[in-house]
Amino acid sequence: MALISPISSSNGKTFNQKLFSRIRVAIECDVPHIYKLMQQLFVYHDITHLLKSNESSIASGLFNSKYPHLSPVTTLLIEVSTDPFPSCANDKNNSKELDLNMPLVDEESEQFRVVKHDQHDVFIAGYVMFYPCFSSFFENPVFHMENFFIRECYRRKGFGKWLFSTMALEVARMGFSSIDLYASDWNESTLDFYKHMGATISDDFRVLSLAGKALEAYEDDSN
Amino acid sequence: MALISPISSSNGKTFNQKLFSRIRVAIECDVPHIYKLMQQLFVYHDITHLLKSNESSIASGLFNSKYPHLSPVTTLLIEVSTDPFPSCANDKNNSKELDLNMPLVDEESEQFRVVKHDQHDVFIAGYVMFYPCFSSFFENPVFHMENFFIRECYRRKGFGKWLFSTMALEVARMGFSSIDLYASDWNESTLDFYKHMGATISDDFRVLSLAGKALEAYEDDSN
């Protein structure tokens, strides 16, 4: 039961005073939400021209790969609700409650409603996606962080730090050597966030890709 | 039998007029050579301070991973010899012969001798290492090119182009969407090579990593 009754408006969900949240591993029925989050991530970083994936390819890549030898991808979601989540004895860090100084309005709440929680209002606030891979640089394998995003109305509340830390703790516990990631060059607040979380920028490297027609040309030339 | 008798000197192998070569997939007994190539790669890019792997971790990462869910890594080697390699009917592009305008001296030949070819002198000239992974950017998975290196005395003879093309053709045939790679920011000749091979530089991105004590700190904080 909600400690404080929420006010819902036609412009989305308003949270008053209390915001309950938890981190959980995404499952296949979360794919439509994951893809919406991904679209917002690409808009945020001003790289929508690079987004060639779609809901079906995300579902295949995360849950039903045609390529059985690909490293499995882990997606962690932050869920928020007006009601407390069932507590999990295994890990007290997986849920928390936040006292709001002022009401929080989620204007896009309906797009991010988790439908399986039919008794409660539960919404997706952000996600992180990462997978393990070999590295020639380190003694142990590393994780590549593919996506990291907190929806705008839930920023500056510690959710990003919590989600990133949850991933980093898991990676450290597994004995992996590094979390590698890309960040937009121009985005100072994002770079500052990752630096604050302990990451260092490898100024030595530039990112390149061989894709599209340039890659297909190799097959054409061989025929 | 060699078409032209090679001259061996105390400073390594000298190839006169003919150089036979082939590309093959590396196997576990190649690990000592792969690690030597990797060390030279890190010297070439002036990033030896970033090399934390070793022969044992390379062997484990490529052939006996403790982490069964990691994507398999493919390493292709270029072998060179004074003698022709057995021809392979499946793929005529996997071997070729080169007419040398002037003698080619491989001063480190003994370090890179392939011991199993006891009737012939066979040496490793270079390698490429790549593995498949999920990508949120594309509809299909991509390959990450982890390492690419041609030993100095074998450069400017088309080996780099041949090795890169062999990998790219394989990736294109498999229907993957991209080959992603890093390159040293300052190394214009390397960047020019990849651009010539069709790759584009993603100026939008910087590479970050959370590693070492900064990563371990997450585990310490949780205790």
Side-chain angles (χ1 to χ4, degrees):
Chain A
M1 203 184 81
L3 299 179
I4 305 290
S5 296
I7 301 162
S8 286
S9 77
S10 60
N11 291 325
K13 186 78 177 177
T14 299
F15 296 90
N16 291 289
Q17 295 189 319
K18 285 282 185 194
L19 186 66
F20 295 92
S21 54
R22 74 166 177 182
I23 293 174
R24 69 164 170 88
V25 175
I27 55 175
E28 190 164 357
C29 64
D30 293 311
V31 166
H33 288 141
I34 293 169
Y35 187 57
K36 276 181 215 150
L37 291 163
M38 195 179 284
Q39 288 174 303
Q40 293 198 351
L41 164 68
F42 276 69
V43 169
Y44 176 73
H45 289 290
D46 198 18
I47 50 170
T48 50
H49 59 290
L50 298 177
L51 183 61
K52 313 285 187 201
S53 61
N54 53 55
E55 214 173 285
S56 157
S57 71
I58 298 301
S60 163
L62 301 186
F63 299 104
N64 300 297
S65 182
K66 289 180 287 182
Y67 308 91
H69 298 303
L70 283 191
S71 296
V73 182
T74 299
T75 306
L76 298 179
L77 300 174
I78 291 193
E79 287 181 330
V80 294
S81 177
T82 49
D83 301 289
F85 289 92
S87 62
C88 175
N90 292 342
D91 197 339
K92 65 187 186 313
N93 293 322
N94 273 7
S95 66
K96 65 178 178 181
E97 72 181 78
L98 195 70
D99 292 309
L100 299 171
N101 296 326
M102 52 194 301
L104 186 161
V105 182
D106 181 352
E107 292 180 355
E108 300 175 312
S109 57
E110 289 313 304
Q111 288 185 54
F112 291 97
R113 177 186 290 277
V114 180
V115 287
K116 66 179 177 153
H117 295 267
D118 45 8
Q119 305 105 315
H120 301 298
D121 284 329
V122 175
F123 309 98
I124 306 289
Y127 78 123
V128 64
M129 189 183 278
F130 53 106
Y131 58 79
C133 42
F134 169 81
S135 170
S136 58
F137 289 68
F138 295 102
E139 196 166 348
N140 291 314
V142 301
F143 270 92
H144 174 74
M145 190 183 86
E146 176 73 11
N147 288 170
F148 182 82
F149 188 69
I150 304 292
R151 289 177 51 221
E152 187 166 5
C153 64
Y154 297 106
R155 287 179 206 151
R156 290 168 293 280
K157 289 172 178 44
F159 285 129
K161 194 175 173 182
W162 181 36
L163 186 60
F164 191 94
S165 301
T166 300
M167 168 186 64
L169 173 58
E170 194 62 27
V171 170
R173 277 183 180 158
M174 290 172 73
F176 279 45
S177 290
S178 176
I179 299 171
D180 295 340
L181 56 125
Y182 303 156
S184 301
D185 182 69
W186 54 268
N187 197 324
E188 283 302 328
S189 69
T190 298
L191 291 171
D192 285 345
F193 170 78
Y194 292 131
K195 283 191 274 188
H196 180 72
M197 301 310 289
T200 52
I201 300 177
S202 305
D203 279 322
D204 299 324
F205 298 113
R206 297 175 84 172
V207 180
L208 291 91
S209 70
L210 173 69
K213 291 194 191 313
L215 179 58
E216 288 162 20
Y218 283 89
E219 201 172 4
D220 300 340
D221 290 348
S222 76
N223 293 331
Chain B
M1 205 181 80
L3 298 180
I4 305 290
S5 296
I7 301 162
S8 286
S9 78
S10 61
N11 290 323
K13 185 79 177 176
T14 299
F15 296 90
N16 291 290
Q17 295 189 316
K18 284 280 184 193
L19 186 64
F20 295 92
S21 55
R22 72 166 179 183
I23 293 175
R24 68 163 171 88
V25 175
I27 57 175
E28 190 164 358
C29 64
D30 294 312
V31 166
H33 288 141
I34 293 170
Y35 187 57
K36 275 181 217 150
L37 291 164
M38 196 179 283
Q39 288 174 305
Q40 295 197 350
L41 165 68
F42 276 70
V43 169
Y44 176 73
H45 289 291
D46 197 19
I47 50 171
T48 51
H49 59 290
L50 298 177
L51 183 62
K52 313 283 185 202
S53 61
N54 52 55
E55 213 173 285
S56 156
S57 71
I58 299 299
S60 163
L62 301 187
F63 298 104
N64 300 298
S65 183
K66 290 181 287 183
Y67 307 92
H69 297 303
L70 284 191
S71 297
V73 182
T74 299
T75 306
L76 298 179
L77 301 174
I78 291 193
E79 286 180 332
V80 294
S81 178
T82 49
D83 301 289
F85 289 93
S87 62
C88 176
N90 292 340
D91 197 338
K92 63 187 187 316
N93 293 322
N94 272 8
S95 67
K96 64 178 180 182
E97 70 180 80
L98 195 69
D99 292 310
L100 298 171
N101 295 326
M102 53 194 299
L104 187 160
V105 181
D106 181 353
E107 293 182 355
E108 300 174 312
S109 57
E110 289 313 303
Q111 289 185 54
F112 290 96
R113 179 185 288 278
V114 180
V115 287
K116 65 178 176 153
H117 296 267
D118 43 10
Q119 305 106 315
H120 301 297
D121 284 330
V122 175
F123 309 97
I124 306 288
Y127 77 123
V128 63
M129 190 183 276
F130 53 107
Y131 58 79
C133 45
F134 170 81
S135 170
S136 58
F137 288 68
F138 294 102
E139 196 166 349
N140 291 314
V142 300
F143 270 91
H144 174 74
M145 190 184 86
E146 177 73 11
N147 287 171
F148 182 82
F149 188 68
I150 304 292
R151 289 176 52 221
E152 189 167 3
C153 63
Y154 297 105
R155 288 180 206 151
R156 290 168 293 279
K157 288 173 178 40
F159 285 129
K161 194 173 173 185
W162 181 36
L163 186 60
F164 191 94
S165 300
T166 300
M167 167 187 65
L169 172 59
E170 195 62 27
V171 170
R173 277 182 180 157
M174 290 172 73
F176 279 46
S177 290
S178 177
I179 299 171
D180 295 341
L181 56 124
Y182 303 157
S184 301
D185 181 69
W186 54 268
N187 197 324
E188 284 301 326
S189 69
T190 298
L191 292 171
D192 285 346
F193 171 77
Y194 291 132
K195 281 192 274 188
H196 180 70
M197 300 310 288
T200 53
I201 300 177
S202 306
D203 279 322
D204 299 324
F205 298 113
R206 296 175 83 172
V207 180
L208 291 92
S209 70
L210 173 69
K213 290 195 191 314
L215 178 59
E216 288 162 18
Y218 283 89
E219 200 172 4
D220 300 338
D221 290 348
S222 74
N223 293 332

